[in-house]
Amino acid sequence: MTRLRRLGAAVGAAMATAYGGAILVSTPVSASDHSVGGSHLAAVREKIHDPFAVVPAREVQRSALTGASAANPLDMLVIGGGATGSGVALDAVTRGLRVGLVEREDFSSGTSSRSTKLIHGGVRYLEKAVFKLDYGQLKLVFHALEERKQLIDNAPHLCHALPCMTPCFDWFEVVYYWMGLKMYDLVAGARLLHLSRYYSAKESVELFPTLAKEGKGRSLRGTVVYYDGQMNDSRLNVGLACTAALAGAAVLNHAEVVSLLKDEASERIIGARIRDNLTGKEFDTYAKVIVNAAGPFCDSVRKMADKSARDMISPSSGVHIILPDYYSPEGMGLIVPKTKDGRVVFMLPWLGRTVAGTTDSNTSITFLPEPHEDEIQFILDAISDYLNVKVRRTDVLSAWSGIRPLAMDPTAKNTESISRDHVVFEDHPGLVTITGGKWTTYRSMAEDAVNSAIKSGKLTPANGCITNNIRIVGGEGWDPVSFTILSQQYMRMKVTYRGKVVPGVMDTASAKHLSHAYGTLAERVAAIAQVSLYIFHTVYSSIFTGTFENVLLIDKFY
């Protein structure tokens, strides 16, 4: 009984959310919120990383939105709960603004969870910058490399450096890729993850056992290995949304914008009509400025304000597949530098499996894009020339398609303005659209969007952007060896060879997974599981022994 009470106390804060308990965070961080250190940044960090803080319940979030009226509007309403929208909400609320965010489905249910899982600076952009003397492409690389390091620092439990191997089948390729990747290192400067280096053919095969020694009649001369970042994209997105909510933003999923509200006199957008897709009920919420971060669907939002608005999005389909773990060793990726469509294809270790992709082809905008068979086969063909194992269609465990919202300036006269960079645009008063870009630069994209929204809405933030110094929830105080605490102090349910469920030691693999998925919150998750395990085991034992005293004690405890 003493052990049960101790476990119950440990998970009190975490259980509060699940059972509608006390909410500790309900207002945005303002300039008057100060920690012991006295700085606004310290106050924000303290609020987000308070060990007893919980994300407000859905009804509380919804009430904050329904409570925003024409007379007392939010400062900013964000449409879209992907990486960019969640990043905008976090940036705005940490500047002391009243912020709401609505997402039609769930956070990261779209493009933001269908990436290559890479945080990269853009090696191909650097190649274009050099050979085409394109300073704009070079700026993209500088910027992305800066944001790459920043993202890994802000979410250390969900992001890490990953070596990627580039096979070379003649000596010209060795020199070419070595020089190019050394330039990549040089451009990264102080934000370099690790130095690239050359490995001989023998060393390469030792590092990557499935790498082919022969390809298209050529012998492997070696490989050049460079480093980029890898992330858990969907968890990172959810972490951003939770961090924004902890800082005071009203964040609501399954909430669809069905129309925009206009001021009749000025024609300015002043709010949105929202449908709660869980209840079917609709309500109005008002804001001084709306930020449209709906990704591939941003044009449909813009056309709610102006039916004649010119499209900004040139959608591109990116398909990825999941293969068994033996396709790539743990901790090493493979880059296929030459494919028939000119794109790079990656093959990377991912959660005990291998992810391979991506394709790049024109597509139509659909809510649930599906991968086409020819795109799956394209990926299999691309990697088969570089592997010594038979690449089979039957090895594909799953596949998904994401729509990249490649952006173009709607005022441009031709499509040459389509860019991998992002676009911030206000083509209707009160509606600021942010689209384009990539996962790596979500934070700076959000900063640009908030800056534009502040100007549009004539807002008065308490401070400037501080997201470059804020770790997302679970990241503050996390350490790569944090999993050892879980292994040593918590248990998990195990099934004996006789089929009986009993408490057992938490194995290293489970502890590492929890630690990387939840960061410093992993102990909360483990504690909840342990309480549930204790209850289950007690009831299970009581049924077979015929003694129900412990079950009555549990009932009394709760």
Side-chain angles (χ1 to χ4, degrees):
M1 186 61 187
T2 301
R3 178 179 176 81
L4 183 60
R5 288 187 184 279
R6 186 166 63 248
L7 285 171
V11 300
M15 297 289 276
T17 304
Y19 294 99
I23 301 302
L24 303 181
V25 179
S26 58
T27 57
V29 178
S30 67
S32 60
D33 292 328
H34 294 291
S35 66
V36 177
S39 71
H40 175 70
L41 176 60
V44 173
R45 286 173 170 168
E46 183 178 13
K47 200 164 192 178
I48 291 171
H49 302 296
D50 182 342
F52 298 105
V54 293
V55 173
R58 177 180 173 81
E59 190 53 42
V60 175
Q61 310 268 24
R62 189 179 186 278
S63 295
L65 293 174
T66 57
S69 63
N72 183 30
L74 297 169
D75 289 318
M76 191 181 302
L77 176 67
V78 184
I79 301 174
T84 306
S86 297
V88 169
L90 177 59
D91 189 318
V93 75
T94 53
R95 298 197 200 197
L97 300 173
R98 288 181 62 208
V99 181
L101 180 149
V102 290
E103 159 60 38
R104 177 171 59 181
E105 290 299 317
D106 207 350
F107 306 113
S108 201
S109 61
T111 302
S112 293
S113 62
R114 301 173 188 179
S115 74
T116 313
K117 323 300 181 188
L118 279 178
I119 315 167
H120 61 95
V123 174
R124 294 300 299 272
Y125 304 155
L126 181 60
E127 184 180 32
K128 291 177 183 178
V130 172
F131 286 99
K132 295 184 179 181
L133 300 178
D134 189 335
Y135 181 64
Q137 295 283 350
L138 185 60
K139 283 175 62 179
L140 278 177
V141 178
F142 272 112
H143 179 56
L145 286 171
E146 180 179 356
E147 291 297 321
R148 179 187 70 176
K149 186 62 168 64
Q150 188 67 68
L151 181 50
I152 294 173
D153 289 344
N154 285 353
H157 57 304
L158 294 169
C159 308
H160 61 273
L162 178 72
C164 295
M165 180 176 282
T166 307
C168 304
F169 286 93
D170 61 50
W171 292 112
F172 172 78
E173 288 183 345
V174 171
V175 175
Y176 180 80
Y177 291 125
W178 183 86
M179 291 180 64
L181 292 170
K182 283 300 178 184
M183 187 177 295
Y184 194 57
D185 293 346
L186 181 64
V187 172
R191 293 170 178 81
L192 177 71
L193 300 180
H194 297 285
L195 281 170
S196 60
R197 61 159 294 182
Y198 164 77
Y199 287 95
S200 68
K202 181 180 178 182
E203 291 172 324
S204 300
V205 172
E206 289 175 353
L207 290 170
F208 207 110
T210 56
L211 181 63
K213 295 181 181 179
E214 303 288 334
K216 294 184 177 180
R218 301 182 300 171
S219 298
L220 182 69
R221 301 302 181 186
T223 61
V224 181
V225 174
Y226 75 100
Y227 285 79
D228 258 330
Q230 189 175 43
M231 63 177 169
N232 189 324
D233 53 3
S234 54
R235 286 195 181 275
L236 181 56
N237 193 161
V238 172
L240 288 170
C242 288
T243 306
L246 287 169
V251 175
L252 192 67
N253 56 357
H254 302 290
E256 180 178 359
V257 173
V258 294
S259 63
L260 297 176
L261 307 177
K262 288 184 181 180
D263 178 76
E264 294 182 1
S266 65
E267 288 291 306
R268 182 180 177 85
I269 303 298
I270 57 172
R273 181 77 173 172
I274 297 168
R275 180 190 299 122
D276 186 333
N277 285 331
L278 297 185
T279 65
K281 295 181 179 179
E282 295 185 1
F283 61 91
D284 292 338
T285 190
Y286 292 82
K288 296 175 183 177
V289 63
I290 310 290
V291 175
N292 173 16
F297 304 97
C298 73
D299 283 336
S300 63
V301 175
R302 292 173 59 241
K303 289 178 181 180
M304 291 180 185
D306 180 3
K307 293 181 181 179
S308 63
R310 182 179 172 184
D311 287 348
M312 295 179 66
I313 297 300
S314 177
S316 171
S317 172
V319 171
H320 296 81
I321 61 175
I322 294 292
L323 298 165
D325 58 348
Y326 57 76
Y327 272 82
S328 62
E330 184 178 356
M332 178 67 76
L334 181 73
I335 177 173
V336 176
K338 295 179 181 178
T339 61
K340 60 186 179 183
D341 72 347
R343 278 188 62 81
V344 166
V345 168
F346 290 91
M347 195 173 74
L348 312 167
W350 174 245
L351 297 180
R353 297 289 187 270
T354 299
V355 62
T358 179
T359 61
D360 186 21
S361 56
N362 295 331
T363 188
S364 58
I365 297 177
T366 56
F367 180 61
L368 290 174
E370 295 184 359
H372 297 296
E373 184 60 34
D374 58 339
E375 293 175 306
I376 294 174
Q377 195 58 53
F378 170 85
I379 297 171
L380 294 175
D381 291 342
I383 64 176
S384 63
D385 292 335
Y386 292 84
L387 301 178
N388 59 19
V389 297
K390 187 176 182 180
V391 179
R392 306 176 302 176
R393 176 62 178 84
T394 53
D395 285 340
V396 178
L397 305 176
S398 64
W400 69 84
S401 176
I403 301 175
R404 296 188 195 89
L406 301 183
M408 59 183 177
D409 187 339
T411 63
K413 295 180 180 180
N414 56 55
T415 58
E416 291 181 1
S417 59
I418 295 176
S419 172
R420 298 284 171 167
D421 202 356
H422 63 275
V423 173
V424 181
F425 190 79
E426 183 181 18
D427 55 347
H428 197 94
L431 181 64
V432 173
T433 296
I434 169 74
T435 191
K438 57 184 180 179
W439 236 118
T440 305
T441 58
Y442 88 89
R443 192 206 63 80
S444 62
M445 290 170 62
E447 182 178 354
D448 289 346
V450 173
N451 288 341
S452 181
I454 288 172
K455 182 179 179 180
S456 171
K458 298 179 181 179
L459 307 179
T460 54
N463 53 274
C465 177
I466 58 174
T467 52
N468 60 330
N469 287 311
I470 295 176
R471 284 182 170 159
I472 72 165
V473 63
E476 188 70 26
W478 181 84
D479 188 90
V481 297
S482 297
F483 74 92
T484 57
I485 298 174
L486 301 176
S487 295
Q488 294 174 346
Q489 298 185 13
Y490 295 92
M491 296 183 295
R492 56 174 295 194
M493 283 189 280
K494 299 205 172 188
V495 180
T496 67
Y497 71 95
R498 293 182 178 178
K500 185 177 180 180
V501 180
V502 298
V505 175
M506 184 176 291
D507 56 86
T508 300
S510 298
K512 282 185 176 180
H513 173 75
L514 288 174
S515 179
H516 283 284
Y518 299 100
T520 55
L521 299 182
E523 287 192 63
R524 283 198 196 182
V525 177
I528 292 171
Q530 191 153 311
V531 169
S532 301
L533 181 153
Y534 185 89
I535 295 171
F536 178 87
H537 183 61
T538 301
V539 174
Y540 185 93
S541 300
S542 298
I543 290 172
F544 286 91
T545 61
T547 58
F548 292 90
E549 293 179 1
N550 288 336
V551 178
L552 294 175
L553 284 174
I554 291 171
D555 184 64
K556 183 178 180 181
F557 174 76
Y558 281 102

